[in-house]
Amino acid sequence: MGSKSELHILFRRREIKGAVKRLAGEISQDFRNKNPLLLGVLKGSFVFMADLIRLLDFPLEVDFIGLSSYGSGTETSGKIKVVKKLETPVRDRYVLIVKDIVDTGLTTAFLFDYLQKKRPASVKLCALADKPSRREVPVTIDYLGFTVPNKFIVGYGLDADQKYRNLPDICYLEDGT
Ligand code: 5GP
Ligand code: MG
């Protein structure tokens, strides 16, 4: 095995709760009476989605889409494919993408493109975290939780090799050696 990785807390659960509350307020102002479709990008968004929608007190619908980049490795290769389709027709709908983190921006840019072809009324983006230092394509984040440094973030739904999604705090992994 490689070198040991250590977990460090970046944002505690209280801080996350505050950020989600702020986002819910912003989203409520813009989407009340629009019956929006909140579209979670699997798997990283599911914890964030669950907390967010319980703070929205107006009619909305939820769906999920699965995206993955071609090839192996942890780096995004740039070629994205849909591995789980959304089930809801998005034509004329107010779509709000709910994403864990915008890193290179490649999957988000792909998803915007993919959705625009289906002629929604609008597509907006809500991201729990933004890692702007790694951006390769421009992405507009309409509702943002946290800006994070160039570190590998885990917890609150985000994984490292499918682990750590259950951590209630947002942490980063760093070489302990
Ligand atoms: P993109 O590079 O296309 O913006 O992001 C693609 C995906 O890579 C994200 O949705 C997320 O699942 C994963 N990703 C990017 N940065 C991180 C990170 O710091 N931690 C974790 N757990 N996943 C990340
Ligand atoms: Mg992942």
Side-chain angles (χ1 to χ4, degrees), residues 76 99-108 131 151-154 158-160:
T76 306
K99 208 171 187 307
D100 54 359
I101 185 167
V102 181
D103 185 33
T104 63
L106 290 164
T107 48
T108 310
K131 206 193 282 181
K151 301 198 182 286
F152 198 77
I153 307 301
V154 296
L158 288 93
D159 75 306

Side-chain angles (χ1 to χ4, degrees), residues 34-105:
K34 285 186 171 157
N35 184 31
L37 176 65
L38 272 65
L39 181 60
V41 183
L42 291 172
K43 300 175 190 171
S45 69
F46 81 104
V47 175
F48 178 39
M49 174 75 99
D51 282 346
L52 179 66
I53 60 167
R54 284 178 289 174
L55 298 176
L56 303 176
D57 61 345
F58 55 85
L60 59 84
E61 293 172 29
V62 173
D63 202 348
F64 290 95
I65 189 168
L67 300 173
S68 97
S69 42
Y70 284 101
S72 55
T74 50
E75 294 292 312
T76 306
S77 70
K79 289 177 192 160
I80 315 295
K81 66 178 173 181
V82 176
V83 293
K84 187 222 165 273
K85 285 187 179 180
L86 66 169
E87 292 165 5
T88 317
V90 300
R91 192 178 174 117
D92 297 329
R93 296 296 303 269
Y94 293 89
V95 179
L96 178 62
I97 298 169
V98 178
K99 208 171 187 307
D100 54 359
I101 185 167
V102 181
D103 185 33
T104 63

